[in-house]
Amino acid sequence: EDYAPTRPWQRSLVAPSRPPNECLAVPADRLELEWVHGVRSHDIRGQLSYCQASGDLLFPAGNVVVSMNSRERNQRFMNEHAGEVVSVCVHETLPIAASGDLCALPTVVVWDYVTLQPQRVFKGYHKRAVFLLAFSPDEEAKFLVTIGSDDANTAVIFDWRHDWVVARTSTQKSKPLDLLFSR
């Protein structure tokens, strides 16, 4: 016997006498993201980036990176991530950005922030999350360094244009708070 208490509304539930046929067809309408209200900021640092070429602001919100033009009051979205985006960086002069997410095998996406089109996708180099990213300051942005959220806070340096891993090393036990390339 079940001795769990019954809530009053449960006593008034009755199954339909003629249930409608179940329809498993895809709906004709599609949902489309129009505007994001909010930004992920409770557990990440410095995630608001300014884009020189377009004048847009980039910031993570859920599984997307929002590109917001504050003068025209519009937003566009880069939504190539399966997990929550926890890091974003842009190059100083080139119209490229990189973003990292939070999941079992996080993804790093290098993308053009004007067109929002991905240029490279790296997966399987980190565990749990990619919390920090930085491009090399050279004119070609040859390298991208990422730091993951594993126990050793592993850093990986990519020659992202050629899809190569240049170096991989442990950093420190405590979580790094910032990442910069020196000139």
Side-chain angles (χ1 to χ4, degrees):
E1 288 185 42
D2 185 14
Y3 294 104
T6 303
R7 295 178 182 91
W9 56 267
Q10 287 178 323
R11 284 184 247 133
S12 63
L13 292 178
V14 178
S17 58
R18 292 183 312 226
N21 293 333
E22 188 174 2
C23 178
L24 300 176
V26 177
D29 294 332
R30 293 181 42 99
L31 292 176
E32 187 175 319
L33 185 58
E34 292 178 0
W35 193 266
V36 171
H37 297 272
V39 60
R40 182 183 182 116
S41 62
H42 69 281
D43 61 349
I44 55 180
R45 295 170 177 261
Q47 297 308 317
L48 179 63
S49 301
Y50 177 72
C51 304
Q52 275 304 110
S54 65
D56 289 0
L57 299 172
L58 298 182
F59 57 90
N63 291 20
V64 301
V65 178
V66 179
S67 176
M68 185 172 118
N69 185 314
S70 58
R71 287 184 303 274
E72 297 177 17
R73 301 280 303 152
N74 64 18
Q75 292 182 344
R76 300 177 307 138
F77 311 101
M78 196 289 292
N79 52 5
E80 297 292 323
H81 288 282
E84 287 189 53
V85 179
V86 292
S87 57
V88 176
C89 76
V90 297
H91 189 266
E92 294 174 358
T93 57
L94 297 176
I96 56 169
S99 49
D101 60 21
L102 170 82
C103 61
L105 285 174
T107 303
V108 174
V109 181
V110 179
W111 45 285
D112 182 315
Y113 64 69
V114 175
T115 64
L116 303 181
Q117 295 302 309
Q119 306 293 309
R120 287 276 188 270
V121 176
F122 299 101
K123 188 168 182 144
Y125 294 96
H126 292 288
K127 294 179 183 172
R128 291 185 227 144
V130 177
F131 274 105
L132 295 171
L133 305 147
F135 283 106
S136 58
D138 57 304
E139 292 177 8
E140 301 145 7
K142 184 174 181 178
F143 300 112
L144 172 69
V145 64
T146 61
I147 295 183
S149 184
D150 56 9
D151 293 335
N153 295 304
T154 303
V156 178
I157 301 174
F158 297 97
D159 179 342
W160 67 270
R161 292 186 191 273
H162 298 105
D163 213 2
W164 296 336
V165 173
V166 176
R168 180 184 177 106
T169 187
S170 301
T171 58
Q172 60 190 33
K173 291 288 183 192
S174 59
K175 181 180 175 181
L177 301 179
D178 200 6
L179 175 65
L180 292 172
F181 257 95
S182 61
R183 291 190 180 266

